[in-house]
Amino acid sequence: MLIAGNWKMFKGPAETLAFFDAFDAPEGVDVVVCPPFVSLEAAVGEEWPVYAQNVHWAADGAFTGETSAAMLVELGVQGSLVGHSERRLFFGETDDTVQRRAEAALASGLKVIACVGETEAEREAGEMEAVLRRQVAVLPRHACLVIAYEPVWAIGTGKTATPEMAEEAHGLIKSLHDTRVLYGGSVKPENAADLLSQPSIDGALVGGASLDAASFSSLCRIAASLS
Ligand code: PEP
């Protein structure tokens, strides 16, 4: 079971260190933390694997605001998210750029959590399967790539897919790509056990509930108890 915390644009270096002072995860669960770029250096000094929230495909160059995989490796970062729905929605991320980011990261030795998921409009239009097929098709087949299924309508909204809805989507993704599949979308200690006990759910990508050390510790304990 893998539990990854996506801190989005929260926690500078001082708050990052304060989080780790209070964070306590048991044995038996893989834990990853994805802080903002400015807090990566503080986080890699701690005992948990650290992933970036994004990575560029070029080794270096005139790409203002971007960071290469080699730079992350130099810092001690172990992996990166790619294709988070907020990047797709607000920053023009496409399936093509998701593919390029994932390939470059993996080639540099980073692990990757690649995010896929349908919007509410796509689900209502009956397009969930087509969207997932399209998004998964571009992802490299690689032992160090994990997929996170994050229905966009469930991210940061408090709306969670039912365990049955999540299981159905995970089953489809696993039929398309032989990898671990995490669920993401308003996961919190109260709903984690129902979701994580589904056979095709291999862990969680957690936004809001990963910001609080006590609630993220509790999620990790639940995951460990189900492993
Ligand atoms: C996320 O940011 O990937 C996420 C799933 O957020 P939340 O848990 O807050 O819905």
Side-chain angles (χ1 to χ4, degrees), residues 22 52 63 72 97 99 125 131 147 175 193 197 202 211:
F63 298 106
L72 294 171
T97 56
Q99 178 177 26
V131 169
I147 295 177
S175 75
S197 53
D202 304 310
L211 292 171

Side-chain angles (χ1 to χ4, degrees), residues 6 8 84 86 150 154-157 184-187 205-209:
N6 172 23
K8 310 186 191 228
H84 191 278
E86 288 152 14
E150 300 206 306
I155 298 179
T157 58
S186 299
V187 176
L205 179 55
V206 185

Side-chain angles (χ1 to χ4, degrees), residues 33-56:
V33 179
C34 312
F37 278 93
V38 292
S39 299
L40 289 172
E41 190 165 11
V44 294
E46 303 293 326
E47 67 181 285
W48 310 99
V50 173
Y51 285 23
Q53 296 175 14
N54 192 24
V55 56
H56 199 263

Side-chain angles (χ1 to χ4, degrees), residues 25-87:
E27 298 284 311
V29 57
D30 296 328
V31 179
V32 160
V33 179
C34 312
F37 278 93
V38 292
S39 299
L40 289 172
E41 190 165 11
V44 294
E46 303 293 326
E47 67 181 285
W48 310 99
V50 173
Y51 285 23
Q53 296 175 14
N54 192 24
V55 56
H56 199 263
W57 53 83
D60 49 28
F63 298 106
T64 302
E66 293 282 339
T67 304
S68 74
M71 292 168 184
L72 294 171
V73 170
E74 183 180 346
L75 200 60
V77 170
Q78 293 190 20
S80 183
L81 302 180
V82 301
H84 191 278
S85 64
E86 288 152 14
R87 304 258 0 132

Side-chain angles (χ1 to χ4, degrees), residues 4 11 28 32 36 57 76 84 86 88 116 119 124-125 128 144 154-155 173 183 185 194 213 215 224:
K11 295 193 191 298
V32 160
W57 53 83
H84 191 278
E86 288 152 14
R88 294 180 192 255
V116 300
T119 63
E124 281 170 4
M128 179 193 90
C144 293
I155 298 179
I173 293 166
Y183 172 76
D194 283 347
S215 101

